[in-house]
Amino acid sequence: MRQYVVDAFTDSVFHGNQAAVCVLDQWPDDELMMNITRENNFSETAFTVREGDKWHLRWFTPGGEIDLCGHATLGTAYVLFRFYEKDADRLVFTTLSGDLIVTKEGDLLEMEFPAYDLVPVKVTDEMEQVIGSRPLEAFMGRDLLCVMESEKTVRELAPDLEKVKQLDGLLLHVTAAGMDTDCVSRSFAPKLGVAEDPVCGSGHCHIIPYWANVLGKDKLVAYQASKRGGTLYCRREGNKIFMAGKAALYSVDELFFTGS
């Protein structure tokens, strides 16, 4: 099985978010895909199979399959454009979140994702204790989004990851206005076996709608302030989020195993 490791939302390796991408002729069983994912131990491993003029794409975390992942979609598109669809400028992925489209936009790859509807929720003492600082506001989509006082606060947070599992929402995102970008954020996913997601594309389907409304503009530059860091060039159109970034190839591997 051919596997590629790509750093997404960066133009150089050792930054951005790592994704393993397995390009397949047919689907293996789910147990094997989970074993490969756990062996990689990245936040996501993507598996894709060509089906007609589309590619069927599935994402797995060490904790199980997930319904939406931005950085592994970007990584998969990068691999397909570079090695399998060299003359294409547009790819369509069939996923658990419907058809996702990735297009070449100059030196960027732009993904079209659904925006999550954000429902305001009460800021609680539990949130403050778990996160280590009291949010100014909180919202629920698929994930919990907490708005913090400043970029400095976001960068310095050290949440209690075991207690993060007790909060509502699949992931926890913390965000604030940026000093050099429109917004900064960090994303934590201990429920999925991932302590901190270095750059979370699906998280920005929560983050960008919030900041687009607050800042009154639909084009934003976002920075994920993890140790690896990553930049996302985003725009909102109706209920869609267009998210663009670069990617860098780290390795091309052959996987060897016997059975599942």
Side-chain angles (χ1 to χ4, degrees), residues 72-234:
T73 302
L74 182 67
T76 303
Y78 174 87
V79 167
L80 295 180
F81 279 132
R82 180 165 175 174
F83 296 102
Y84 297 86
E85 300 272 7
K86 295 180 180 180
D87 296 327
D89 56 14
R90 180 179 184 270
L91 295 170
V92 181
F93 293 106
T94 301
T95 78
L96 288 176
S97 292
D99 281 359
L100 300 180
I101 299 170
V102 183
T103 58
K104 291 181 180 177
E105 298 292 340
D107 62 348
L108 298 174
L109 299 181
E110 184 178 73
M111 303 176 288
E112 178 183 337
F113 279 169
Y116 284 104
D117 292 326
L118 299 178
V119 178
V121 296
K122 182 181 178 181
V123 173
T124 64
D125 292 341
E126 181 186 17
M127 290 179 191
E128 181 178 4
Q129 292 165 4
V130 169
I131 296 170
S133 183
R134 193 170 188 86
L136 302 178
E137 299 176 276
F139 300 85
M140 186 63 65
R142 180 195 70 180
D143 309 331
L144 176 62
L145 174 66
C146 291
V147 182
M148 310 308 294
E149 181 180 9
S150 68
E151 177 174 328
K152 183 174 184 289
T153 301
V154 168
R155 287 180 178 273
E156 294 178 352
L157 287 176
D160 186 323
L161 295 177
E162 278 304 308
K163 292 183 179 178
V164 167
K165 296 177 183 178
Q166 301 169 13
L167 296 177
D168 292 336
L170 187 62
L171 282 75
L172 166 66
H173 308 291
V174 293
T175 187
M179 293 185 289
D180 299 315
T181 56
D182 291 300
C183 59
V184 298
S185 62
R186 291 172 67 194
S187 300
F188 304 93
K191 293 178 184 178
L192 297 172
V194 177
E196 180 170 0
D197 197 1
V199 189
C200 186
S202 62
H204 282 79
C205 295
H206 301 72
I207 294 163
I208 295 304
Y210 171 81
W211 286 110
N213 289 335
V214 169
L215 298 176
K217 61 181 186 178
D218 289 323
K219 290 186 178 181
L220 299 96
V221 178
Y223 184 74
Q224 191 109 38
S226 66
K227 288 182 179 180
R228 292 177 63 94
T231 303
L232 306 91
Y233 303 90
C234 305

Side-chain angles (χ1 to χ4, degrees), residues 6 13 20 53 86 112 136 159 173 177 215-216 237-238 246 254-255:
V6 179
V13 295
D53 58 355
K86 295 180 180 180
E112 178 183 337
L136 302 178
H173 308 291
L215 298 176
E237 288 188 9
K246 299 179 182 180
E254 289 290 340
L255 304 187

Side-chain angles (χ1 to χ4, degrees), residues 8 32 43 58 90 199:
L32 177 56
S43 58
R58 297 173 68 184
R90 180 179 184 270
V199 189

Side-chain angles (χ1 to χ4, degrees), residues 35-79:
N35 285 337
I36 293 169
T37 299
R38 294 190 184 105
E39 185 76 11
N40 287 328
N41 202 31
F42 298 145
S43 58
E44 260 88 15
T45 295
F47 299 87
T48 190
V49 173
R50 188 181 186 95
E51 295 180 353
D53 58 355
K54 300 180 183 180
W55 290 82
H56 190 170
L57 177 61
R58 297 173 68 184
W59 311 279
F60 288 79
T61 76
E65 189 169 9
I66 195 170
D67 66 339
L68 186 64
C69 177
H71 83 277
T73 302
L74 182 67
T76 303
Y78 174 87
V79 167

